[in-house]
Amino acid sequence: MTQNTNKPSPEKKGDKNVKPRFNSNWIFAIIALSFILFEILFNRNVAQRATTSMIKEMIAKHDIEKLVVVNKDIAEIYLTGDAVSSGRYENLPKPGGGMGLQVPKPHYTYNIGDISNFEPFILEIQKNAGYSDSDLIYPEYITRKNYFTDILGWLILPALLIVVWLFMMRRMAGGGSGGAGGIFSVGKSRAQIFDKDTNVKINFSDVAGLEEAKTEVMEIVDFLKNPKKYTQLGGKIPKGALLIGPPGTGKTLLAKAVAGEANVPFFSISGSDFVEMFVGVGASRVRDLFKQAKEKAPCIVFIDEIDAVGRARGRNANFGSNDERENTLNQLLTEMDGFGTNMGVIILAATNRADILDRALLRAGRFDRQIHVELPDLNEREAIFKVHLRPIKLAKNFDVAFLAKQTPGFSGADIANVCNEAALIAARKNKTVVEKQDFLDAIDRIVGGLERKNKIISLQEKKTIAYHEAGHATVSWLLEHASPLVKVTIIPRGRALGAAWYLPEERQITTREQLLDEMAYALGGRAAEELVFGKVSTGALSDLEKITKQAYAMVSFFGMSDKVGNISFYDSSGQSDFGFTKPYSEKTAELIDREVKEIIEESYNRSKDVLRANMKGLTELAELLLEKEVIFGEDLERIFGKRKADKLKEEQEEKDRKMADNNTASVVTEDEVNKTATAGDPTVKDAGLKVTVDPEKPAEESTGGK
């Protein structure tokens, strides 16, 4: 016999305060038992149904003693004593009723149907059987009421409603994440608790990159493990840390690693779990969360997407739609740093919208540290690729650094998606390993969308698309600060009819010249359409949207306009999101519009000038694109030669190499002079001889006297 290991903990025998808990299952059992007893006591010995032929046979044998018609519906047939004792009729009900009451029961029942025809039918059968007028049996008519059945009928519906209500309450109490109590404990915290007994498989080794962020968070974990290391020096652990960064950069993953590394209870909850339609529920859940956290201190409380509850107060105050969220935020502020103390409770939160958070939430004492988790750079992307490539079967001598170079601006989530898509593409092609081309196809799939080779495109449209994409490629290849081209295609992907992939330079700041070159090659497609066909199309919609936003940013944010000046109207605090006024006058607005238009026109004219000077190469590139549908950077290098930026880079590298060679020659000359000086006079070996070397002049000794 298998022993049950999940036994409930036994109650103490001597504890008189332990009260028996009511189990709602007893209600279901009582109701079911009532129906069973009613069936046994009142519906046993039920008379059989008689057919018309049976009635004719009973009348012919003079076995019927009387007929009673009940409620003009049912005819009860009572047999004579001789007929009952004769044994001709089986399964007759025993005399007497339920609960010991001696109530006569009919031996058979018969459904009458039409009451007006029943009596003539019975009398006719008797006359045909030879009954005399004095022996004829006339039916008796009575009206009988069953009060118990009527009462039971009235009770069934309320009973069913009660049963359903109890069932729903039990489901709401026990199911979901609301915990015990269900609707009656709607104010209870919905946080998930992870402790040392919970198997969390993610640790810091699974978090690639984010070295600075990991250092900050690991310090918090280390404090919880070794508090004396910090307290003996008078230090205090930060009360809270806020992870800030774009979506997909690994904020939640970092929190999961903390849960896996820390040997303390870890409470995980989303900001939206505090928000409820009921008034006061959010604040109640905050109180309950911190109550649980204090009981399990030291511990960590992680609030994901805290912007759902931590939005700045006072916005849209006239509409009255923010009161409940503000009450929840006020309670959160009080619990984090109020008159009460939360010793040992560390708050860890994550958001990608730090600009809309309330300032009181961000101050020191609540969130002492703000950890910025940015998009990974080249080295970090390579490390992230190595983590996500662990379960993937790769081809031999696979170059992970190449993938990192091909994915600028990708987040950690994007890289994980690339690895998964590459594996799916390789499986679709029935490969045994995942190759480099599979990853390139995956990147194209994610960036550009799914290929639509069967899309119907006319020959003229295809030619326009080819020259449009060739214009982009030509201008970007010939301008110094434009991003180098990787691939151009005229195969439709997603909503785009053509696409070009560039490999932007990873830089932290951007100059005005670089922005103008980017705008110029973005307008190269429209410029090529105008020069070749003499008309423009709607294909440049995304390009125009991009350069318009960029031009307005140059003028109104970056101060890159001489006429507007070094002025920025950018609001980093985000407090003007709901403002109805501009921070500048109408005259300034007109000036900004003129400057933006001039910048765009200047970039457009530059694109056309570049294309006019290289029309032969543009035509060759477009025809090649029409033929192959996909071209790469090698094709552009064959047509136009090396990029200007590459030439300048090579020249600079050559200058650096020559300068390094000159420095090496200078060091060698100095060593030779020192050797010559010491060899000529043995007494100067330890005399502190100083030699000054000029590469342009012969070495001279300076002995400082004889």
Side-chain angles (χ1 to χ4, degrees), residues 510-697:
T510 306
T511 63
R512 188 175 188 274
E513 289 74 20
Q514 291 170 340
L515 291 173
L516 291 175
D517 281 0
E518 290 178 2
M519 294 175 64
Y521 84 75
L523 290 168
R526 165 141 309 184
E529 291 182 22
E530 183 179 347
L531 292 177
V532 176
F533 304 105
K535 54 186 177 182
V536 295
S537 67
T538 59
L541 174 61
S542 61
D543 302 325
L544 296 177
E545 179 187 7
K546 174 187 174 183
I547 63 151
T548 302
K549 291 180 179 180
Q550 198 166 347
Y552 270 104
M554 290 174 62
V555 177
S556 57
F557 293 164
F558 303 136
M560 293 183 177
S561 172
D562 295 334
K563 294 181 180 179
V564 177
N566 297 322
I567 298 176
S568 178
F569 302 106
Y570 179 71
D571 182 24
S572 60
S573 64
Q575 299 296 320
S576 63
D577 289 350
F578 301 97
F580 297 99
T581 58
K582 296 180 180 178
Y584 45 81
S585 64
E586 292 295 329
K587 187 176 181 180
T588 304
E590 293 178 0
L591 180 60
I592 292 174
D593 293 340
R594 286 198 300 270
E595 282 293 287
V596 168
K597 188 176 181 181
E598 289 180 4
I599 290 174
I600 293 175
E601 287 297 322
E602 179 187 350
S603 300
Y604 188 57
N605 292 328
R606 286 184 64 204
S607 295
K608 290 197 292 185
D609 293 339
V610 172
L611 293 176
R612 286 195 191 98
N614 299 273
M615 184 60 68
K616 182 179 179 182
L618 173 66
T619 305
E620 184 179 352
L621 188 62
E623 295 297 329
L624 183 64
L625 196 55
L626 283 170
E627 178 185 351
K628 294 184 177 181
E629 293 187 336
V630 180
I631 60 175
F632 299 91
E634 294 80 4
D635 299 312
L636 275 84
E637 186 173 353
R638 180 177 54 82
I639 296 174
F640 298 106
K642 287 189 176 182
R643 294 180 67 246
K644 184 179 180 180
D646 295 337
K647 292 179 181 179
L648 294 175
K649 186 178 179 180
E650 290 178 359
E651 292 176 0
Q652 185 63 39
E653 290 177 353
E654 184 66 22
K655 289 181 180 179
D656 294 341
R657 187 180 59 80
K658 289 182 179 179
M659 187 176 295
D661 293 342
N662 291 334
N663 293 335
T664 303
S666 301
V667 172
V668 171
T669 305
E670 181 178 353
D671 291 341
E672 290 177 351
V673 171
N674 288 335
K675 289 179 182 179
T676 305
T678 52
D681 188 359
T683 59
V684 224
K685 184 176 181 181
D686 298 319
L689 178 66
K690 296 181 180 180
V691 180
T692 303
V693 180
D694 190 350
E696 304 294 332
K697 298 179 182 180

Side-chain angles (χ1 to χ4, degrees), residues 402-423:
F402 173 78
L403 291 181
K405 294 177 182 178
Q406 297 297 316
T407 51
F410 277 46
S411 64
D414 295 331
I415 292 174
N417 194 20
V418 167
C419 296
N420 186 58
E421 282 290 338

Side-chain angles (χ1 to χ4, degrees), residues 242 244-245 307 310-312 315 351-359 362 370 372 570-578:
L242 181 63
I244 304 171
D307 52 272
R311 190 184 295 265
R315 296 188 179 181
T351 181
N352 52 25
R353 303 180 67 190
D355 56 322
I356 66 172
L357 293 180
D358 195 273
R359 293 181 178 178
L362 299 176
Q370 295 185 18
H372 290 269
Y570 179 71
D571 182 24
S572 60
S573 64
Q575 299 296 320
S576 63
D577 289 350
F578 301 97

